[in-house]
Structures are given as C-alpha cells and as structure tokens.
Amino acid sequence: MTLYLAIFALCMILGVPIAFSLGLASVAYLFAYDQWQLMIGFPQKMIAGIDNFVLLTIPFFILAGNLMNSADLTRQIVRFAQMLVGRVRGGLAVVNVVASMMFSGISGAATSEASAIGSVMIPAMVRDGYKAAYAAALTAAGSILGSLVPPSLSLILYGVLTGTSIADLFLAGILPAFLICGLLIGYALWRARVEDHPMPQPVPREERLGLAMRAIPALLLPVIIVGGIRSGAFTPTEAAAVAALYALIIGGLLYRTLSPGKIGQAFYDTATMTAGVMLIVAMASMTSFILGIENIPRSIAAQLVSVSDNPWVLILLLNLVLLVLGLFLEPLAALVLAMPILNEVFPLLGLDPVQFGVMVVLNLMIGLITPPVGLCLFIVSAISRAPLERVSLAILPMIGICLFVLLMVAAVPSLSLLLPQILNR
Amino acid sequence: MTLLALERPLRLALRYLLIGLIGGLLALMTTQIALRYGFNASLLWAEEVCRYLLIWIAFLAVVLAFERGEIAALGFLGALLPRRPALALAMFCTLLSIGLSLLLVWYGWRFAQMAGGAAIPALGFILRDIFGAAAPPTPGTFWVYAALPVGMGLLALRLIADLVLCFRTIAAGGTVADIIGDRTGGSHQ
Amino acid sequence: QEVTIKMGHAASSQHLFQDGLEMFAEKVAAKTDGAIAIEVFGDRQLGDDKQLLEGLQIGLIEGALVSSPTLPLVLGIQAFDALQLPFAVQDYGQIAEVLGSDLGAELLATLDDKSIKGLGFVEAGQRHFLSRQPVASTADFAGLKTRIVPIPLHEATWHAVGVSPIGMAYGEVYSALETGTIDAVEINLSSVQSESLHDAAKHVTLTGHYFWPGIVMVSGRVWEGLSDEHKAALQEAAQETTAEAYAHAAAQEDDTRSYLEANGVTVTDLSDLDRMLELTAPVVTEWSDKDPLIGKFRDAYGAGQ
Ligand code: NA
Ligand code: NA
C-alpha cells in the first residue's frame, strides 16, 4: 500500500493529471506485487465505476448549470442578491456569499458553483478594489454550499450507496448550509470593517422589479426538486434531468436568452466536463478494487476502533480520515473509496444515518477548498489569476468556519435532523 | 498531412455526436418520467440505455476534456522550473500518460472481446418490441465496452501530438505555457 | 494451507448469501484439513453480480456466489430461467431436492463452456410482494407501479399478473417506495429487513411467486489448478451447503416474518392465489419450450406435487 501511495503522490507532484496518477499507481502496484493477471480487471472496473445509474446526475446537473449560465442567469442572481443585501460596507463580499447560497439551489455540485459564481463575482469584486485572492477564496468557500443545498450530487450518491432516504438528506443539508452562509457573511463584514472595504453602487429602482421577476423562477428550482421527489413524481436521480429540463424551459421560453447554438454549446461543454469527472471516478474504482482485495478498508476500520470505542473519539478520527482523503481526492471518488470504511465504522457511532450523511458530505466538501488538491481552489484561482498559494492562505479562516460547522453537525443532531423531522410529520 | 486534413471533420463529427448523446440522454430520461407519472407505464430498458450512453459520453469526451484543460493536474513543479527542465518534465508526464492510455487501449480491447459476448439486454427488449418473434440477433455488450479502448485511443493520439509539440517547442525556444496556450486555443475552433 | 480462494458476492454481510458462503468455507476447510481456505468478500467489494460473472470468465475473480437471474443475461445461458418459473416450485424443501439431484448437476454443467465451474446453490429467499397499499386479491395487482428486475422472464410474468412493471436501479427503490414514485416491489423478506424497506411500505402479500437461488462458482483457472481430491472435496462441500442453505433460508423466512410483523408490517396471504397461478401458467409453458432443460425442471417440480 505504501508503494501505491508513493507512486500516486510522486506522479501527482510531477504534474501527471490526478486521474492518471491513480491509474499509474494501480499499474505499478499490480506489477510490483506480481498480480499482473489482474490487469484485465482494470478496464472492467473503470467501466463498472461509471456504469451506475446515480452518476447520471453528474451530466444533468452540469447541464442545468451550463444552461443557466448561457441564459445569463448567474448575472441576474448576483444582481438580485445585490439588490437585497448589498447596501453595507463590504456589501459586494456579502453579495458573493448570498449569491452562492441562492445559486446552490440550482447547481448540484460545488465545482460548477465555483465557476459560475466566480466568473461573475470575482471580476466585479476586483474591479471594486478587493484583493483577488480574497475574492477567490470567498467564492470557493461559498461554493461548498452547492453540495449541501438540494439538489446535491454528493448527497444523492451517499444516499444511494448507503440506502439512506435522499429526500431526508436533502432537507438535512439546508440548516448547516445556512449556518455556513451566516458565518461567512459575519466574517466578510468583519473583514470589511478592518480593511475598509467599499460600499457598492445601489441597484437602480427601475431595475428592481424586472430583476426579481427573472431571478425568482430560477430560485424556485430547489422547491420543485424537493417537492417533486417527496411527492413521488420522480426519483432523486431523475430530479437532475428535471433540473436540466427546467433550465432549458426558463432559459429558452421565459428569458428567451437561449439560442439553438447556445444550447448546443451547453450540451457539448456538459459532455467534456462530465468526462473530466468520470475519468477520476473510473480510475478510483480500480483503486478501490485493489484496496478491497487487500482488505484495507477493514483494517483501517479495525485500527480506528482499536484506538478507542468511544463514539466521540471515533467520529473525530473518522472525520480526520475523510479530511485526509479529501485533501487529495475529488469528493465523488473519495466517497467511493471511503464507503467500505464508513460501512464498517458507522454502526459503532450511534448516529442517525441522515446526520452522518450530511457530516460525511460536508467533510468531503471541505476537501474541495483545502490545498493541495482542492478542485474549487483551482477553479477560483484560475478565474481570479491569483496564485494558488495566495488563495490557499486567504481561505484558511473560512476553512476554520467550515470545520466549526462540521463539528456542530456531528455534535448537534437537530442541526441536520430538525427539518426532515418537521416535514415528516 | 492527410491526418491533419481529417482532423477538422473528425472533430466536428465528435462534437455533433456528443451533443446528440447528451440530448438523447435528456430526452430518454424525461420520457421515462412522463410515462411513469402520467401514463403509469415504463420503458424497462431505459435505465440501462441511459447508463450505456453515459459510458460512451464519458470516454469519447475524455480527449476533448483533456484539450480544454478540464482534467485536473498540479502544475506547481513545472511552474517552479526553468524553461528546458519544465519542458522535459512535461514530456515525461505526457509519456507516462501515453503509456497508461496505450495499456488501457490494449487491455480494454481484450476485455471487450472476452466479456462482450452477452447480448445487450436493453437492446433485446427494444428489438423484440419492434420485430416481435422475428427479431434479429441482439448486439453484444462488446459495443458498450468498446467505448473505453476507443476513448483512450483518441486520448493517446492527442497525447502523442502533445509530445511532438513539446519537441518542437524545445527546438523553437518556447515554453510550456506556449503549448498550453496552443491547447486551449485548439478547442475554440 | 496450500490455496486461498477469494469468493465474492454482491449482498450485504448480513445476507443469506454471506451465511451460505461461510457455511461453504467451513465445510471446505474441514474436508481439506485446512489446505484450502475460502475467503468471503461481501458488500460488492469484488463487484456486483455482473462484474463477478465477467470476472470469473476473464480470470479476475477466483470464486463467486451470483443470483441466478444474472446468468442468462451475462452468460447467455437461458437454462437458468428454470429456477424462476412462476409458481412452479412448492416449497424450500422441494427446490432443494431438485437442485441436489442430477438435474441440478446438469444445470451447473452448462457453465463448463464458459470456463466456470458451478458447484452448488445458496438461496436468498422466496419472493413476495411488498406494497404501499394492501393487496388482498389478484385483481388488486392491476396497474400497480411495481419495480421488477428487467429481464424477459420476469417481465412476461408480471405483465401476465397485470401490474405496470417499472424498471429502476435497485439503489433507488427505498426512496421511490417511500415517496410513492412506485407502489410496490417484488422481493424477498430478508431484503425487506436488511434494506429497511418496511420503513417505506407496510404491506407484504405472501405470494411466493418464485425463488431466488444463487450459484456457487469458481473460475475455470482455479478449478484446473486443484488436485482431484480437492475437487471432490469442494463438490461435496457445495452439495452439503445447498441442502443446509435451503433449510437455513426457510427457517430465516419465519424469523423475518415475525420481525416484520413486530415492526408494523401487515403480512397477509393472497385470497385467490389460484387466480395468480392461472394467469402466469402460460409463461411457464412458453418458457419450457425455450430450452429442453427448463422443460425437465418443470417436470421435476411437477412430479413432486
Ligand atoms: Na445544490
Ligand atoms: Na482538497
């Protein structure tokens, strides 16, 4: 196993794409341990890793995001957020966080949220005199809301892998998301006072009604999705297709900003972005096969349990393992890899499976904004042209906020379970 | 030269194929919801066909995702190095990726041949629905599994082109950034 | 210890498949004085049913226990449909007896061509009907959106019964039952318990329409590598496992039934099971003509009546 990790880390540091680093480490492992006959299983595991109905949510949520973006919806949402909350010192930073919260009801993944909000908010903040690294970091931190508020790819995948109610998981993610949102706003306001951030321009009065009319239909999407799932109209996986269809309809018919050319481009972009995610999932499937035959998940779980049988210690240790996984891996791949360990340890924790799901997903999302491999960090750093190291530094306090909320989710069951309980009555 | 002449139409074909596949996926899934919710019916094969479409989309688009820089990689080491070592490093990484791609083409093809004999169940349902008892033989899962060697093969070709590009760039005195610029520039045609 | 055989299955580690393979492992160890160790990997650690079967063929997987409906699909051996003819089998005892006979061996021998050695059978439990609304008589099936495994035999069967068969990934069944996306699912009681499906739907109708055998297999490569003595030991162990696994599944079904009733599930019989049987009889006839071995199984089940 050490060999596997060493090759993986080495390839990654050299600059081999992460997906290929996983694959090369698998090949090296099979070669070194005289298991070359298993090489024929490599393509099988890659295909099987993708051959999963739930993963269809990936192209559809990406498509919904792309269509909303081509329909110029992100800009509308940002303007709408500015109209609602922009009249304070450092208002644009607050707008960034609030727009992330609004957009999280449309996007299924943190990464699509980072690029959508980032492409509008970061240039606007930089133009107003904010440091690029700060604007980028705030966008990245806000983007993890995308995976906590329904629709959420990671929550769906967790629900299906563990057989937990996805409708409940969706509701359970909402309060923690609001908590993160509130704390990030508080932080932004504090920074604004200390660093004397500017007051933004007000949205002209005559623009306001039109803005609300255009933004509100889009903001209804999470309601449609949760409502549709709970009423049994469609399954959580199908909800992703509904989201894409909804985006197509409001962009094409309501706003009339979508042309056939733009739709075609959005479909095409969706295909390539899907391939980028799927390649990592495919390669990670081979890794989890190797881990499986070596019984690694069981032995990690056994080691965790051997440290202590106190559920609290176990929860902390488990979070630590997940955070480390999240440091290097994309959340879906990490979820696939971690699932056997989670299955072994979960019964000992005495947690509700829904609460546990929110905790696991939030944990992996934090991995998206922590160096070295934080996909959201990469995205915002590319958009802002601020060096990755600067953004990494700027985001540290925000990671602290997220870790605090993670602890709260683990310690306070009602933070996640309150909404599902109320709505199940 | 002939290869280059072929590149443009190939790219265009791939583009429309992918747009069609994504469109098909969306159409099939929404039909399925409408049928079940509105008409209490279901296409038994829809779930399976959706999965197979996803497999083809994922592997066919890998090469384009790579060209557009959507396959995540760490670039800090290359950025720290001076021009020539940085190019050498990029070539080394490309070589590793080519090796893995070719290995997967070879084993992917063998796997498709060995395990691809079974009829595709979904197509069986569709063909029986259309032709009844006179249904022609159902194609095998080979046609699903072939997506991997085809996709990795296209990627290998692209990576080899990258390698050639690196050689030329060294000779011409350019930097890694020139190649990456070339790469993203290539995707917007 | 000379040889370790890693055997995978796709069910959870609380499932009857796990028990069956562990049973097999104990017997093999006893019969070979520990020379052959069977290591059991549940929870899809080595892959799902389809991957396990493919893996056996390409030499990636050493051994597996796979649900019988997957075999016609992945290997193209239609004869395995013989194990799921609707209402053909009386009870656990009868199917265990038929599978333990030469006919069972004849069915397993159809795997030889696929470089797989079939050894025995482990039962996952007779299938019943779990629904959101009570089903009292056969007429109540009409139009119920019922998740079935999308294979031709099951489609024909449930079409004949009159439900609206729905294709859906297994992972989505819980949520779909809970929210009413589907009305029902045909399933075995132990899976209702292990997947907590009784939290989502409260009515079980004991139809027992067909059984759900799994096939114990090792890859041809592993099999060829064994001495004749060890081969015999494995076959004997599997034969004994088949008998015990069926007795175990029958006993477990009673326990599971009590568990479900204690958890608020109403478990009822169908008032006119004869009617359901009548509706599906043409399917049995149709399928018996598809493969001579299916006909033989039907006759063997019939002989026990
Ligand atoms: Na979301
Ligand atoms: Na990370």
Side-chain angles (χ1 to χ4, degrees), chain B residues 158 160-170 179 182-183:
Chain B
R158 186 62 185 80
I160 291 169
D162 250 24
L163 201 60
V164 175
L165 218 58
C166 278
F167 268 116
R168 285 204 195 143
T169 313
I170 289 190
I179 300 177
D182 258 25
R183 207 190 266 167

Side-chain angles (χ1 to χ4, degrees), chain B residues 40 42 44 118 125 128 145, chain C residues 50 54 74 143 145 155 164 167:
Chain B
N40 220 13
S42 166
L44 275 183
F125 272 114
R128 267 192 309 280
Y145 300 157
Chain C
K50 185 174 161 217
E54 284 173 357
V74 177
K145 283 183 270 192
E155 195 220 4
S164 298

Side-chain angles (χ1 to χ4, degrees), chain B residues 174-185:
Chain B
T175 65
V176 173
D178 296 336
I179 300 177
I180 294 171
D182 258 25
R183 207 190 266 167
T184 40

Side-chain angles (χ1 to χ4, degrees), chain C residues 15-56:
Chain C
H15 193 267
L16 286 167
F17 276 10
Q18 177 82 17
D19 301 347
L21 278 183
E22 281 172 3
M23 233 180 251
F24 178 61
E26 269 171 39
K27 291 183 190 302
V28 169
K31 286 182 195 299
T32 60
D33 294 324
I36 298 184
I38 304 280
E39 245 186 281
V40 182
F41 289 78
D43 292 319
R44 269 173 293 180
Q45 282 182 78
L46 302 188
D48 62 15
D49 276 354
K50 185 174 161 217
Q51 294 171 49
L52 287 171
L53 273 180
E54 284 173 357
L56 282 171

